[in-house]
Amino acid sequence: MQPYELSAAEAATLIAAKELSCEELARSTLAHIEAREPTVRAWSYIDPGQVLRNARELDKAPPAGPLHGLTFGVKDIIDTADMPTQYNSPLYVGHRPGKDAACVAVMRHSGALIVGKTDTVEFASSGRKAATHNPHNPAHSPGGSSSGSGAAVGDKQVQLAFGTQTAGSVIRPAAYNGTYAIKPTHGAVSCEGVRSASHTLDTLGWFGRSVEDLQLVARAFRLLGAEAAKPVELRGLKIGLCRSPAWEVADPYGRAALLEAGRRLEAAGATVFELDLPAPFNGLIKAQQLIARAENGPAFLSEYVGPKRHLLMRNYLDVVENVSGITPAQLIAAYDLAAECRRSFDAMFGAQLDAVLTPSSPGEAPEGLACTGDPVFNGLWTLLYAPCVAIPVGASPRALPLGVQLVGPRFSDMQLLEIAQACAPAIYENSILAAQA
Amino acid sequence: MQPYELSAAEAATLIAAKELSCEELARSTLAHIEAREPTVRAWSYIDPGQVLRNARELDKAPPAGPLHGLTFGVKDIIDTADMPTQYNSPLYVGHRPGKDAACVAVMRHSGALIVGKTDTVEFASSGRKAATHNPHNPAHSPGGSSSGSGAAVGDKQVQLAFGTQTAGSVIRPAAYNGTYAIKPTHGAVSCEGVRSASHTLDTLGWFGRSVEDLQLVARAFRLLGAEAAKPVELRGLKIGLCRSPAWEVADPYGRAALLEAGRRLEAAGATVFELDLPAPFNGLIKAQQLIARAENGPAFLSEYVGPKRHLLMRNYLDVVENVSGITPAQLIAAYDLAAECRRSFDAMFGAQLDAVLTPSSPGEAPEGLACTGDPVFNGLWTLLYAPCVAIPVGASPRALPLGVQLVGPRFSDMQLLEIAQACAPAIYENSILAAQA
């Protein structure tokens, strides 16, 4: 086994025991990236010399914590002091922010080895696509907008990576790339230094190769309520299987992933029951889309009035000009519906419900790179501010990974990770799923 | 009359007519700043040579719009590409961001002349105070955290300036410095590049010397719903005079300012009636404080884990360590109360109510610089996301300005400015107010 193949949690143990150096891990990582980059193209920036120098410095320094030396990718809409931050936009070629985003600084000061910047959909919104291919089947998309981060972790190029989710840009690529990920409760982690598209929706998340990997990062963020989290038993866990209002959009493999995950959990002793969301939740998918579009206006105004406006894709001009004619009343109705549903969603949990099990994506990753997939199974949870954890289930006959997500009430992030830790071994099988009508 | 004495709107007219050059305005501005800075100390950074060079470039360029050449101060928690951004923090001495904050970019591309960075309370939170004195009585505070911006506009050193409000840091300094200001609807203007303390509450605002000045900037931001705004007649305008749940905290001059403003509006033909907020609103002041404190945790984590932690004031360590023991349930209750009150506040407007008239501050600016005043009359409106416009009323016998604010429903910013435009001439008198028991 090569060092790059170790999960974050496995490598952390070896590094702490001095059985693996940060430099060894870095060299193995860089060699794997070099071999795979022509196929996967996950990266918008890597300086291997810088990575090795930083790894050697980490080996000289006293361990900064449990992330010491672990390999980390950073989506290229997130500021880094020592690397360009270009948003995959022609307006920002070579742009250098003056400091790390808060999330990058927290990882760096916790000992993580920042390997490079991962490719993204332009501004993590609806502009240019990343050049990234799905590592499991390069004819397919890795999803987006966190395309490079999902693919890099799914391809074992790094152990951990940051993504962001405004509709479904963390959980959906996690499913497509066969990896784990968390989109935490909105606001639980600072978005300072992360390019904003929609302040109500933008949420920082991260990818890992196991639930333990996700927990390592979550602990470094000192999430509110973390001290109340307790390990859970799978037996008796109450799981609400929610097809979601978008079920009709799911393909036969997306359906198979959800139903099979439910069956496997039940077989392992959990109590799984169908959960229908109350009627007002049917409006959340449209509300999320409307809020994103309305908030894109202020988010892209500075580029709109700036000297490089001619490099902006039409879509960004449209949102600033509000060509869809969104009114204050419509936007306020969307905000107020979301607030009402947040409250009623949280109230579902307790004696009757521990976690919601629901699709991560409509199913297989789309063919080609033109479409990064539909976030229709994600937008409502993002708008609910609810923490979501993506868990792989298996693969389709075309070797395309399939996944599901567990969703919990606001600020239950660490408890949801405990639930995911209990559920994940039962949910995942290295096998081909049969299509489900 | 010197050019620096012109309001933004007055100067814009002269510049458009080529009766005033940007350089003339800049020279007059710099001379006035030089004369006043030893007393007021509004600025953390000014490079007069750079200001003059930029002014001359503006004179050579075709007019970029109605802000062409107008003088603008930027609170030093807001990124500027060509000036340091230091947050009044020893952790960020000499820090240079790689680009302008979105709001600065919008102003710059609209032709504004960025004069310099204004002093602020550290991180616009509860750290070191600004060195700024109240220009009307230097023995007193200019308020905070937008101390320098409020004082600079109140002292006619610049025509316009950005501030930010998380509790009451725009509207309160506006009152203390005898100037106009708007805190727009939360989210109506991008906070990209503005140092964050509390993502739910942080709101960019601006100071001006008249309502028209505020409108000039508001138009450049293309606020949602702007096209629906119409000029209003003062006669028959329905104004709800709201003492607010904090009335007991108001001093005799704060009370006088509100009640006198109400009387003057009534005398000018408006319909003024006492407005009591529904009972749930009584919880908003505490909810705002709890949300700010909880959200400070993630906001200051990167400094907490970083190498300059020893330079952080105790308060920042406390919020990261959550020493006050805030629980998820408490935070969620505060969020949900706010959402409920936002909806019911908006519903009060319409046939029965055009705007709420309420105190901007407890009254006179505090003596000394140790305390920037109590934001108790601001936090609830900030949490309601409601637009607020500060309007001067007069002064106390100690020459300390007194003000009030008008508040409207979410996304009525441009209409609220029209209402303020109608009300302001009636509300303000250059006279001394008598104390009110």
Side-chain angles (χ1 to χ4, degrees), chain A residues 8 29 33 42-46 51 69-80 83-84 103-104 107-108 112-119 146-154 156-164 204-209 217 221:
Chain A
T29 295
I33 290 174
W43 300 91
S44 55
Y45 182 87
I46 287 194
V51 174
L70 303 184
T71 56
F72 220 109
V74 177
K75 182 178 184 177
D76 202 21
I77 64 154
I78 302 174
D79 286 353
T80 40
M83 300 174 187
C103 60
V104 174
M107 289 303 108
R108 216 189 274 276
L113 180 68
I114 309 300
V115 170
K117 305 301 285 282
T118 59
D119 208 356
S146 308
S147 316
S149 285
V153 174
K156 302 197 172 182
Q157 297 186 25
V158 278
Q159 293 157 329
L160 298 160
F162 280 134
T164 59
L204 186 90
W206 51 96
F207 300 86
R209 297 191 203 155
V217 176
F221 280 125

Side-chain angles (χ1 to χ4, degrees), chain A residues 52-90:
Chain A
L52 282 177
R53 282 192 302 277
N54 288 343
R56 282 193 291 263
E57 287 303 315
L58 283 168
D59 281 326
K60 288 178 197 167
L67 296 173
H68 195 82
L70 303 184
T71 56
F72 220 109
V74 177
K75 182 178 184 177
D76 202 21
I77 64 154
I78 302 174
D79 286 353
T80 40
D82 57 351
M83 300 174 187
T85 302
Q86 306 182 102
Y87 320 133
N88 185 21
S89 166

Side-chain angles (χ1 to χ4, degrees), chain A residues 87 99 192 196 336 410, chain B residues 87 99 192 196 336 410:
Chain A
Y87 320 133
K99 69 178 204 284
E192 180 98 43
S196 174
D336 290 348
R410 285 173 286 176
Chain B
Y87 319 132
K99 70 178 203 287
E192 180 99 42
S196 174
D336 291 348
R410 284 174 286 175

Side-chain angles (χ1 to χ4, degrees), chain A residues 87 92 95-99 102 105-106 109 186-188 190 192 194-196 199 220-222 224-225 298 301-302 304-307 320-322 326-328 331-332 335-337 339-340 343 346 410-411, chain B residues 87 92 95-99 102 105-106 109 186-188 190 192 194-196 199 220-222 224-225 298 301-302 304-307 320-322 326-328 331-332 335-337 339-340 343 346 410-411:
Chain A
Y87 320 133
Y92 287 96
H95 168 59
R96 291 259 178 183
K99 69 178 204 284
V106 170
H109 298 320
H186 182 261
S190 171
E192 180 98 43
V194 179
R195 170 72 200 208
S196 174
H199 67 92
F221 280 125
R222 294 173 162 255
L224 187 72
L301 177 62
S302 66
Y304 180 94
V305 299
V320 173
E321 292 169 4
N322 190 16
I326 296 168
T327 64
L331 182 57
I332 289 167
Y335 287 145
D336 290 348
L337 173 67
E340 175 197 333
R343 181 183 276 211
D346 285 1
R410 285 173 286 176
F411 294 104
Chain B
Y87 319 132
Y92 287 96
H95 169 59
R96 291 259 178 182
K99 70 178 203 287
V106 170
H109 298 319
H186 182 261
S190 171
E192 180 99 42
V194 179
R195 170 72 200 209
S196 174
H199 67 93
F221 280 125
R222 294 173 161 253
L224 186 72
L301 177 62
S302 66
Y304 180 94
V305 299
V320 174
E321 292 168 5
N322 189 16
I326 296 167
T327 64
L331 182 57
I332 289 167
Y335 287 144
D336 291 348
L337 173 67
E340 176 197 333
R343 180 182 276 210
D346 285 1
R410 284 174 286 175
F411 294 104

Side-chain angles (χ1 to χ4, degrees), chain A residues 221-239:
Chain A
F221 280 125
R222 294 173 162 255
L223 304 181
L224 187 72
E227 63 288 347
K230 298 278 178 296
V232 296
E233 286 277 334
L234 181 51
R235 183 157 299 278
L237 211 60
K238 291 171 287 299
I239 303 291

